[in-house]
Amino acid sequence: MAATAGRSEKATFHRSFTLSITKALGDQLAADLATLTRAPLSDTSIGQLLERPGVYQLYLHDDFVYVGKADKSLPVRLRQHLKKISGRRGIAPSDMTFSCLYVAEDFSALAPEQLLINHHKDLGEIPWNNNGFGNRDPGRRRDHTALKPNHFDALYPIDLARPVEGLAAGETNVLDLLEALKASLPYNIRYAKSGDLESANLVITDVELSVDDLLERISEAASSGWQITALGGYIVMYEEDPAEYASAWRYYRGGQTIDNVPLSAPEDETAVDSGSPAQGAS
């Protein structure tokens, strides 16, 4: 019996072919990165890089944890990560290493970072690409969000015991002090810019204060109603005393420090993504 046209079960001269250029590129990027040694995530190593765009991989000890990209400058992006990690508890820049590839600007349209993410997620790697490590300030609407136990900010909360840099003895305005603190910290502090704070002053006698000490002093100098809240990844200050935050682990109210146990989000809840800075706040 003759085979029906187009339904041959044993055809050897024709078949379907799916061209996957993006998968091939992702595999090639991963293979090239695998040939590189790793360097410490330090100013010395980063200072040797060229000011060019590219992709990079981060390692915590020997574990491969994150794939990222730099649209304009690998050194700038890696220094942002160095600064972020330097302000956390339970982790230090000395725990981290990296490797990177320079990528031509005309290749950026093909999203090389996503190609690498797709490649390594299939292998069950890069846990930090799904735990908020690369997030920016998520904005006021997300401040009350509970974090998953494996979220970066829950695993490595901000370090309030670190010393404040650049403090000068004497009387200073609270709003000016907050702006200086924001510029010096390796994590964000967001606050409402209120005329009420412009009229509040604070006398600094001890210039060797920790962030924790200074926040307590600021909360005492501010008028009643102001609250400072230490969340997992950043600090907020608003005229809302008392207010409860799901991921808060410390409050400052009227010169008093109140410790808190953060709540955890269910594992099946959607991870918190990065967002725009809150309007009307710094």
Side-chain angles (χ1 to χ4, degrees):
M1 180 177 178
T4 303
R7 298 185 63 181
S8 173
E9 296 181 359
K10 298 182 179 179
T12 58
F13 64 94
H14 66 95
R15 65 178 178 180
S16 298
F17 172 71
T18 301
L19 180 63
S20 180
I21 295 176
T22 55
K23 184 180 186 306
L25 288 173
D27 293 346
Q28 186 176 348
L29 282 168
D32 209 16
L33 279 161
T35 66
L36 300 174
T37 59
R38 304 200 297 262
L41 186 65
S42 65
D43 279 322
T44 300
S45 299
I46 296 173
Q48 299 177 47
L49 300 178
L50 302 177
E51 295 287 346
R52 292 176 56 188
V55 291
Y56 58 90
Q57 299 184 160
L58 296 181
Y59 298 81
L60 174 60
H61 302 299
D62 289 327
D63 295 330
F64 180 25
V65 293
Y66 189 74
V67 165
K69 68 172 180 177
D71 291 326
K72 295 182 179 180
S73 169
L74 279 166
V76 168
R77 187 63 177 138
L78 287 167
R79 283 196 177 94
Q80 290 172 349
H81 293 322
L82 174 61
K83 180 179 179 181
K84 180 171 187 173
I85 291 169
S86 71
R88 300 299 176 122
R89 292 184 290 144
I91 194 172
S94 58
D95 299 329
M96 305 294 302
T97 55
F98 76 94
S99 58
C100 61
L101 287 176
Y102 303 114
V103 176
E105 292 183 17
D106 57 356
F107 185 40
S108 296
L110 294 174
E113 174 196 30
Q114 192 59 50
L115 300 180
L116 281 168
I117 288 174
N118 294 341
H119 173 91
H120 289 294
K121 275 192 173 179
D122 290 342
L123 303 176
E125 299 173 327
I126 53 173
W128 286 10
N129 279 87
N130 196 37
N131 82 339
F133 171 69
N135 287 1
R136 302 173 184 176
D137 181 354
R140 184 64 172 151
R141 291 180 300 173
R142 300 278 183 88
D143 289 346
H144 291 272
T145 303
L147 303 177
K148 292 182 180 181
N150 68 339
H151 192 284
F152 185 83
D153 293 341
L155 293 171
Y156 310 109
I158 56 175
D159 180 13
L160 298 177
R162 62 181 294 112
V164 179
E165 300 175 359
L167 271 183
E171 186 173 6
T172 183
N173 171 258
V174 168
L175 193 56
D176 290 341
L177 185 58
L178 285 168
E179 290 176 356
L181 187 61
K182 181 182 178 72
S184 66
L185 286 178
Y187 41 81
N188 191 38
I189 176 169
R190 179 173 8 99
Y191 47 90
K193 292 185 176 179
S194 166
D196 182 46
L197 293 182
E198 290 180 345
S199 61
N201 292 322
L202 176 61
V203 178
I204 301 293
T205 56
D206 182 2
V207 297
E208 296 184 358
L209 296 176
S210 67
V211 176
D212 185 55
D213 294 331
L214 186 57
L215 292 178
E216 185 177 315
R217 298 284 305 279
I218 290 174
S219 74
E220 183 179 17
S223 61
S224 61
W226 284 92
Q227 174 178 294
I228 303 174
T229 306
L231 303 172
Y234 55 101
I235 299 165
V236 296
M237 181 176 180
Y238 291 101
E239 200 168 4
E240 58 182 0
D241 179 18
E244 302 295 325
Y245 289 77
S247 63
W249 59 278
R250 186 164 294 168
Y251 298 106
Y252 303 85
R253 297 167 177 158
Q256 300 296 315
T257 301
I258 303 101
D259 290 328
N260 184 63
V261 178
L263 299 177
S264 294
E267 287 292 344
D268 59 350
E269 218 171 84
T270 303
V272 175
D273 296 322
S274 59
S276 302
Q279 293 183 356
S282 178

